[in-house]
Amino acid sequence: MVERNHPLPLYYQLMQELRSRIEQGEWKPGDLFPSERELCQAYGVSRMTVRQALAELVNEGLLRRDQGRGTFVAKPKIRKRLSRLTSFTEEMRSRGKQAGARVLRLEMVPARPRIADFLEIDAERPIALIERLRLADGEPIGIECSYLSFKGCEAVLREDLTRSLYEILSKRFGVIPTRAQEEIEVGTCNPREAQILGIQPGDPVMLIRRRTLDQNGRPFEFVESVYRGDNYILSVELMAEEPSAHS
Ligand code: 16G
């Protein structure tokens, strides 16, 4: 259901509700999806809210628009093609592992110029730094150093950050990780990283930089992570473009 006094925006709640109805198989692939008007009535929300929720589901590949005919439930094959933005916790859960975190550093720091650029803020503005060792079933996997910038971000430092950061941000701060840009590089770890990760200095590691945007397209997080090269696998699904139905 969609609730007005909820920290998550209405469109986001509606999108989650519709996504779970689709995933539960209420409609079959190829079925005509209820119209905007029907959804407005069923959920008591504005047309704008419905449009935004539907646009997200089209983006995710769960729905497909057919000009002049309406919105249809997409074939599941299309969904697999899209990579979804996940948190460490979700990623581990999907592999049947228990995610954990040990906090290494937690403080407000002035944004260095390079980080300020990524976060689209002025250099030297105070941002929240959270450095954590990430664990999978208790085993060290990587060190994530997140720089957060949004109004009231200093309050995040008082949260229990051994839990999922993305869950805390969505539920308590209304900041919903929606999109991200990532860069991946191969490198070797320095003595400090080696000691924390339980490997040897110079061992291969994966260096990942991520800039994460919220539901309004605002960058709120810049992360620099170092993952152990021996127990972390990046898996990406690639598909050839499907021939269009009209060609
Ligand atoms: C991922 C993200 C990191 C984010 C974390 C939140 C990369 C390189 N990093 O590990 O940006 O802060 O998830 O995970 O993918 P959490 O919600 O489990 O704390």
Side-chain angles (χ1 to χ4, degrees):
M1 271 296 112
V2 174
E3 292 169 42
R4 261 161 225 286
N5 296 327
H6 195 282
L8 296 180
L10 282 177
Y11 90 88
Y12 195 83
Q13 294 179 53
L14 179 61
M15 176 192 80
Q16 284 180 322
E17 162 86 12
L18 295 175
R19 188 203 283 141
S20 88
R21 287 179 64 186
I22 296 168
E23 284 172 351
Q24 279 159 24
E26 211 168 300
W27 299 275
K28 286 193 295 300
D31 278 357
L32 182 63
F33 203 64
S35 68
E36 287 180 6
R37 205 161 47 84
E38 286 166 331
L39 292 171
C40 290
Q41 276 173 3
Y43 288 97
V45 292
S46 73
R47 198 126 179 163
M48 264 245 309
T49 303
V50 167
R51 276 201 190 136
Q52 216 177 339
L54 292 180
E56 291 288 331
L57 293 171
V58 169
N59 248 335
E60 275 187 26
L62 280 170
L63 294 178
R64 158 176 73 76
R65 286 228 166 88
D66 203 336
Q67 275 277 305
R69 290 186 56 218
T71 304
F72 294 83
V73 176
K75 277 189 266 153
K77 199 162 74 185
I78 297 168
R79 280 179 53 201
K80 277 202 232 132
R81 197 164 69 177
L82 296 163
S83 38
R84 254 174 89 175
L85 171 62
T86 54
S87 67
F88 185 84
T89 304
E90 288 170 323
E91 211 180 299
M92 291 307 133
R93 200 179 290 145
S94 73
R95 298 180 195 181
K97 290 185 187 286
Q98 174 78 35
R102 208 177 82 212
V103 176
L104 301 172
R105 247 174 104 191
L106 215 52
E107 57 182 317
M108 292 302 288
V109 295
R112 277 182 273 132
R114 187 175 76 98
I115 293 169
D117 271 358
F118 277 108
L119 291 170
E120 295 174 10
I121 56 170
D122 293 334
E124 302 304 315
R125 269 263 297 272
I127 52 175
L129 182 163
I130 301 171
E131 189 184 41
R132 298 182 298 168
L133 168 66
R134 304 310 308 257
L135 309 157
D137 288 343
E139 204 192 322
I141 298 288
I143 303 169
E144 290 177 350
C145 189
S146 299
Y147 299 90
L148 300 177
S149 155
F150 56 87
K151 204 159 168 279
C153 63
E154 59 282 353
V156 178
L157 303 183
R158 294 193 289 273
E159 297 285 336
D160 173 12
L161 291 161
T162 58
R163 294 177 30 229
S164 166
L165 172 66
Y166 280 6
E167 222 171 282
I168 294 171
L169 292 178
S170 309
K171 291 201 176 135
R172 319 233 353 192
F173 294 85
V175 174
I176 303 163
T178 306
R179 276 185 185 78
Q181 290 127 9
E182 231 169 65
E183 268 178 19
I184 302 161
E185 210 182 304
V186 174
T188 52
C189 68
N190 64 33
R192 174 182 180 260
E193 292 159 351
Q195 205 225 338
I196 296 169
L197 291 171
I199 51 179
Q200 296 301 313
D203 274 357
V205 284
M206 243 177 295
L207 307 169
I208 306 187
R209 282 178 290 274
R210 176 191 280 195
R211 182 172 94 130
T212 324
L213 281 61
D214 69 10
Q215 68 274 26
N216 302 313
R218 239 196 100 254
F220 69 91
E221 179 190 51
F222 176 69
V223 200
E224 283 178 310
S225 308
V226 180
Y227 294 99
R228 279 171 62 153
D230 60 342
N231 63 4
Y232 192 77
I233 298 175
L234 289 172
S235 85
V236 184
E237 187 165 279
L238 303 172
M239 284 236 196
E241 200 60 55
E242 268 180 57
S244 130
H246 302 291
S247 60

